[in-house]
Amino acid sequence: MSLLPTITTTDVQEQEPRVAILPIGSYEQHGAYPPLVTDTAIACIIAREIAAAYPVLQLPPVTIACSHEHGTWPGTVSISARTLHAVVNDIAASLEAQGVRKVVLVNAHGGNYVLSNIVQEANLTEPRMTLFPQGREWGRSRERAGLVSDAHGDMHAGEIETSILFHAEPALVRDGYETADHDGGERPFLLTHGMKAYTETGVVGFPSYATANKGKSSWRA
């Protein structure tokens, strides 16, 4: 199944959606086994599930966002928080021009902190935008899926991300994840020193625990 929406303009005209779903990911290192597009793929997978259940307009993803904590790894590409802010607001304005006034931002990259500010600004006078999933939803998903690791230890390219890919897009995970576990410990200077201060491989988590069944359960909590 394609990660990108394949609807036509006629489909949208007939549906007359009132809410749009915008997946937002990243293009950043995830070690040697999941791809650079991991966060974008997961955002698209979640958006695809939402669009299958509700009459919403599924948009293609924002594929490059704020990944500066991974910035010195080969392949990682970032845009500034200012640029992401402008892109999301421009998309919302374009949607509003055709009558779609509400937007759900489906974010799958923890470094996109600015999205919370964008949502707050958009909702000053009326509810217009929301951000999903957040910590509460991820916590419920981890519990429902029966994950071995916790959210702190399994921060990046670990059990939950690999499990989601195994279930929804297994071809994206290369062999070798079974021996890629890495406990990054406490990370008090992550914002200033970046990921390289806590991992040599790019992994902070436990992909060896990943299974397709866990991935299947993780977004149905």
Side-chain angles (χ1 to χ4, degrees):
M1 185 181 294
S2 175
L3 290 173
L4 298 177
T6 57
I7 54 176
T8 69
T9 185
T10 304
D11 295 330
V12 178
Q13 184 178 24
E14 292 176 352
Q15 183 187 25
E16 296 183 339
R18 300 176 60 188
V19 178
I21 304 291
L22 177 62
I24 302 175
S26 67
Y27 196 74
E28 65 185 30
Q29 71 81 22
H30 276 74
Y33 310 109
L36 292 159
V37 298
T38 292
D39 291 345
T40 298
I42 290 173
C44 288
I45 290 164
I46 297 171
R48 189 170 69 191
E49 290 290 311
I50 295 172
Y54 298 98
V56 296
L57 173 60
Q58 182 185 352
L59 300 173
V62 176
T63 59
I64 297 176
C66 304
S67 299
H68 302 91
E69 70 273 30
H70 303 276
T72 58
W73 261 284
T76 297
V77 181
S78 291
I79 58 177
S80 70
R82 296 183 302 275
T83 300
L84 183 56
H85 191 292
V87 167
V88 172
N89 281 337
D90 282 354
I91 291 171
S94 179
L95 290 165
E96 184 176 6
Q98 56 183 289
V100 181
R101 302 186 70 248
K102 296 184 183 295
V103 183
V104 178
L105 307 181
V106 175
N107 177 48
H109 171 50
N112 291 334
Y113 307 113
V114 71
L115 296 179
S116 295
N117 300 111
I118 295 172
V119 169
Q120 289 174 330
E121 292 170 12
N123 294 332
L124 280 176
T125 59
E126 62 176 309
R128 298 284 301 278
M129 194 177 289
T130 192
L131 183 61
F132 178 86
Q134 300 188 58
R136 179 178 62 179
E137 287 80 32
W138 281 116
R140 289 175 177 173
S141 294
R142 298 185 72 93
E143 183 177 355
R144 174 69 178 271
L147 300 190
V148 176
S149 58
D150 62 28
H152 175 79
D154 197 55
M155 174 193 179
H156 189 70
E159 183 179 10
I160 190 165
E161 289 188 319
T162 308
S163 291
I164 291 172
L165 294 181
F166 269 150
H167 170 65
E169 299 291 336
L172 293 181
V173 182
R174 298 185 183 184
D175 291 337
Y177 71 92
E178 307 93 335
T179 58
D181 291 359
H182 174 69
D183 184 349
E186 297 300 318
R187 300 179 288 275
F189 305 109
L190 179 65
L191 290 180
T192 53
H193 294 170
M195 287 284 289
K196 279 206 168 177
Y198 303 101
T199 174
E200 294 182 0
T201 64
V203 175
V204 175
F206 305 91
S208 70
Y209 297 144
T211 69
N213 284 335
K214 291 176 181 178
K216 182 178 181 179
S217 299
S218 64
W219 64 66
R220 303 184 188 279

